[in-house]
Amino acid sequence: MRSKGRARESATIEGLPVSKNDETVIEIIGMNHDGEGVGRADGYTLFVQGALPGETVRVRVMKTKKQYGYAKLLEIVKASPDRVSAPCPIYDQCGGCQIQHMSYAGQLAWKRQLVIDNLQRIGKLNVLTGDETNEEDTEHAIRVLPTMGMDEPWRYRNKAQVPIGVTEGGLVGGFYAKGSHRIIDMETCLIQHEHNDEVVAKVKEIGSHLGISAYNEETGRGLLRHVVVKKAFCTGEMMLVLVTNGRDIQHKDEWIGSIREAIPQVASICQNVNKKQTNVIFGDETRVLWGRDVIYDFIGDVQFAISPRSFYQVNPVQTEVLYGKTVEYAGLSGKETVIDAYCGIGTISLFLAQHADQVYGVEIVPEAIEDARSNAMLNEMKNVKFEVGASEDVIPRWKEQGIEADVIVVDPPRKGCDPRLLDTILEMKPERVVYVSCNPSTLARDLRVLEDGGYRTVEVTPVDMFPHTVHVESVAMLVRIKE
C-alpha cells in the first residue's frame, strides 16, 4: 500500500507546461487573498510567496496540481515600485504578517482591489470602476471607496498571545514558524504595542530565573503554555494572563511580586488553566492571581471592561474608524430602532445607542452577552437590550413581539451570515442594512442574496484593521428599494 502511495505522489501530471523543480521566468499579474503573487507559465497558474504584482521573477516550481501550482521565488528580475524591505528581522520565518515587503500605499490599494474583485467575481455585482460609458451604468453601481488606512501602521495591536517553549537558555516565546508548531523566539513584534513586548520579555526572564517549566505539546508535561497580554490604549492599564497546564504554580508569590515590581502598569494578573491536549489557547477555568478581574478602555466616548477571555478589537485606533463608518451608514437621527446581529460584547451596539432611540443586540455566546450588559451599565445606557441566542432564532421572535427594525447591522464571523438570518432580514424589511465584514468573499455572497431580495448596495468602504497582513475589513451600506 505504501509504495503505491509514493508512486502516486511522484507521478508527473501529464500535459502541464512545467514540472516540479523546473526553473522559469514569469510575470506576476496579481496577488491572491493569501498574499501570494499570481503568475502564469504558458497559461498555467503559479502561486509565488513574496512576489508582487507587476514584477518579473525567476522561480522554481515546488508543487504542481492540475489547475495550478506553487513556486519558490529565486530572483526578482524586475521589481515592483511597491516593493520595500520588510523592517521585521524575523519576517521571513514568522507567519504573523504576510505583506510587509509591500509599501503601505500599495497594501491599501491592493485591499480595495481585493474587495472589488470579490464583489464582481463572487457576488456578480455591478461595481463602479471608472470605465463606465453612460449614466445607466453608474446609477445603480456600487461605489467602493479607498481603503481607510492608518497614519502610523505599526505597533497597533493591543493584545499579544505568545506560545511558550524552552531552550537550554530558559523560556522562549514568540510565534510559530510558518506551517509548523516550532516556536521562534521573539524579542520584539513591530505590530504589537511596545509594552506588550516588554511584558512578555519580563515574564520569560522572571520565569526562567525561577525555573518555571514550559509546556511540551508532545509529552503533555510542563506548566506554562501561553502568555496573553492586553493593553488598554486610552487608560494605559494592562492585563497579564498566564495560561498553565494545571492549577499549581511554583514560586507563585515570588513570580507575581517580581512582575508587579518590573511592570507597574499591570493592573490585573490572571491565570487560565488548560489541561487539554489541544491547540486552543484558553481552558474553562480562569482566576485572578492579583489585582482586578478586568481592565478598562475607551473606544471614542464609550467605556469597556475587558476580561481575560472577552473578545475586544485588537486595533483600537481603527476600531473607532470602523464603528464611525458603521454609524454613518446607519443614517441615524435619534428616532430609529436598530438591531445589532452578532453583537459580541456590545461594542457596535453601544456606539449605535448614542445615536438611536433603541438598540437590540443578539449574540450566541452567553459570556459575551454578560459582558455586553455590564458594558451598557458601565456607560449608563438604558436604551440597549441584549439577548443570548442565534440571530436567526431571536430576531423573528422579536418581530412577533412587535419590534420592527429601521436598521439592521450585521458583523458576522468569517463564514458570513447564516442563510436563515439573511431570510429574516428580508422578512423584516428594514430601511437600511449595514454589513460589517472581515471576509470579502462571504460579504460578496451575502450582498448578492440581499440584492436579489430587494436591497441595493450603495457604498462599500474597506478599513485596514490589520496593516501588513492580508486581512481587510469592510463596511457596506444597503438601502431597501421602494416597491
Side-chain angles (χ1 to χ4, degrees), residues 26-174:
I26 59 174
E27 308 274 331
I28 301 298
I29 56 173
M31 200 160 75
N32 68 7
H33 64 276
D34 289 323
E36 296 168 323
V38 181
R40 293 209 171 89
D42 295 331
Y44 178 71
T45 298
L46 287 172
F47 297 118
V48 186
Q49 184 69 48
L52 294 175
E55 293 189 326
T56 304
V57 296
R58 188 167 62 87
V59 300
R60 178 182 293 123
V61 178
M62 305 302 290
K63 186 176 183 181
T64 57
K65 298 190 175 186
K66 281 188 179 179
Q67 304 297 329
Y68 59 89
Y70 295 90
K72 181 180 181 181
L73 178 63
L74 299 177
E75 179 190 358
I76 300 165
V77 179
K78 182 186 125 195
S80 161
D82 281 320
R83 178 168 288 280
V84 296
S85 296
C88 175
I90 58 170
Y91 174 61
D92 291 336
Q93 303 164 274
C94 173
C97 297
Q98 300 84 36
I99 50 176
Q100 269 194 30
H101 59 291
M102 190 180 208
S103 72
Y104 191 52
Q107 292 180 32
L108 296 180
W110 173 72
K111 290 184 179 188
R112 175 177 184 265
Q113 192 59 48
L114 185 67
V115 173
I116 291 172
D117 290 346
N118 277 275
L119 295 178
Q120 292 176 323
R121 183 171 50 84
I122 295 173
K124 303 292 188 287
L125 295 160
N126 183 17
V127 179
L128 207 56
T129 61
D131 300 327
E132 292 74 20
T133 55
N134 58 55
E135 287 185 16
E136 283 185 21
D137 289 337
T138 63
E139 188 181 358
H140 296 304
I142 302 167
R143 292 189 302 273
V144 179
L145 299 187
T147 307
M148 299 182 76
M150 300 187 73
D151 293 334
E152 180 48 63
W154 301 99
R155 298 293 188 182
Y156 59 82
R157 287 186 62 94
N158 61 11
K159 181 175 76 169
Q161 297 184 147
V162 179
I164 300 296
V166 68
T167 64
E168 291 177 13
L171 298 178
V172 295

Side-chain angles (χ1 to χ4, degrees), residues 322-373:
L322 183 77
Y323 292 176
K325 184 58 71 172
T326 304
V327 170
E328 177 194 323
Y329 280 175
L332 302 176
S333 66
K335 300 175 183 175
E336 293 83 6
T337 296
V338 183
I339 289 176
D340 177 13
Y342 306 102
C343 71
I345 66 167
T347 44
I348 290 180
S349 301
L350 299 183
F351 253 66
L352 294 164
Q354 297 174 103
H355 308 276
D357 178 55
Q358 183 69 43
V359 175
Y360 295 88
V362 56
E363 168 63 54
I364 202 162
V365 180
E367 294 85 0
I369 288 295
E370 287 176 26
D371 286 345
R373 288 170 177 157

Side-chain angles (χ1 to χ4, degrees), residues 158-191:
N158 61 11
K159 181 175 76 169
Q161 297 184 147
V162 179
I164 300 296
V166 68
T167 64
E168 291 177 13
L171 298 178
V172 295
F175 282 104
Y176 292 121
K178 289 175 188 171
S180 81
H181 267 216
R182 180 171 56 85
I183 296 172
I184 296 170
D185 197 28
M186 176 198 67
E187 293 303 320
T188 186
C189 172
L190 298 180
I191 62 171

Side-chain angles (χ1 to χ4, degrees), residues 70-313:
Y70 295 90
K72 181 180 181 181
L73 178 63
L74 299 177
E75 179 190 358
I76 300 165
V77 179
K78 182 186 125 195
S80 161
D82 281 320
R83 178 168 288 280
V84 296
S85 296
C88 175
I90 58 170
Y91 174 61
D92 291 336
Q93 303 164 274
C94 173
C97 297
Q98 300 84 36
I99 50 176
Q100 269 194 30
H101 59 291
M102 190 180 208
S103 72
Y104 191 52
Q107 292 180 32
L108 296 180
W110 173 72
K111 290 184 179 188
R112 175 177 184 265
Q113 192 59 48
L114 185 67
V115 173
I116 291 172
D117 290 346
N118 277 275
L119 295 178
Q120 292 176 323
R121 183 171 50 84
I122 295 173
K124 303 292 188 287
L125 295 160
N126 183 17
V127 179
L128 207 56
T129 61
D131 300 327
E132 292 74 20
T133 55
N134 58 55
E135 287 185 16
E136 283 185 21
D137 289 337
T138 63
E139 188 181 358
H140 296 304
I142 302 167
R143 292 189 302 273
V144 179
L145 299 187
T147 307
M148 299 182 76
M150 300 187 73
D151 293 334
E152 180 48 63
W154 301 99
R155 298 293 188 182
Y156 59 82
R157 287 186 62 94
N158 61 11
K159 181 175 76 169
Q161 297 184 147
V162 179
I164 300 296
V166 68
T167 64
E168 291 177 13
L171 298 178
V172 295
F175 282 104
Y176 292 121
K178 289 175 188 171
S180 81
H181 267 216
R182 180 171 56 85
I183 296 172
I184 296 170
D185 197 28
M186 176 198 67
E187 293 303 320
T188 186
C189 172
L190 298 180
I191 62 171
Q192 281 289 352
H193 192 286
E194 295 94 327
H195 290 166
N196 289 352
D197 282 345
E198 291 167 14
V199 172
V200 171
K202 277 293 175 190
V203 169
K204 287 191 294 186
E205 179 189 320
I206 295 165
S208 296
H209 175 70
L210 294 174
I212 301 295
S213 60
Y215 176 69
N216 184 312
E217 282 186 350
E218 293 179 6
T219 64
R221 294 179 179 171
L223 180 69
L224 189 60
R225 298 176 69 127
H226 278 80
V227 173
V228 179
V229 187
K230 299 189 179 191
K231 165 81 178 181
F233 275 34
C234 286
T235 64
E237 293 182 347
M238 300 190 73
M239 170 181 281
L240 169 63
V241 187
L242 304 170
V243 183
T244 57
N245 179 38
R247 285 188 107 242
D248 295 333
I249 300 177
Q250 62 263 47
H251 311 297
K252 182 179 74 174
D253 293 341
E254 194 176 343
W255 205 9
I256 291 168
S258 298
I259 290 168
R260 286 180 58 196
E261 186 179 341
I263 315 156
Q265 62 267 46
V266 170
S268 170
I269 302 175
C270 298
Q271 178 190 16
N272 176 268
V273 181
N274 184 1
K275 295 181 182 178
K276 296 176 183 174
Q277 287 197 287
T278 171
N279 58 6
V280 175
I281 293 176
F282 284 115
D284 296 330
E285 182 189 356
T286 305
R287 59 177 182 156
V288 177
L289 298 178
W290 175 84
R292 296 198 306 262
D293 60 345
V294 296
I295 58 173
Y296 295 99
D297 202 11
F298 286 85
I299 301 175
D301 296 327
V302 185
Q303 188 177 16
F304 293 95
I306 305 162
S307 63
R309 296 187 61 187
S310 68
F311 173 79
Y312 187 67
Q313 291 280 13

Side-chain angles (χ1 to χ4, degrees), residues 122-123 415-417 435 440-450:
I122 295 173
K415 66 181 180 180
C417 290
Y435 194 128
S441 62
T442 52
L443 169 69
R445 180 200 68 197
D446 292 349
L447 292 186
R448 176 76 270 165
V449 173
L450 293 170

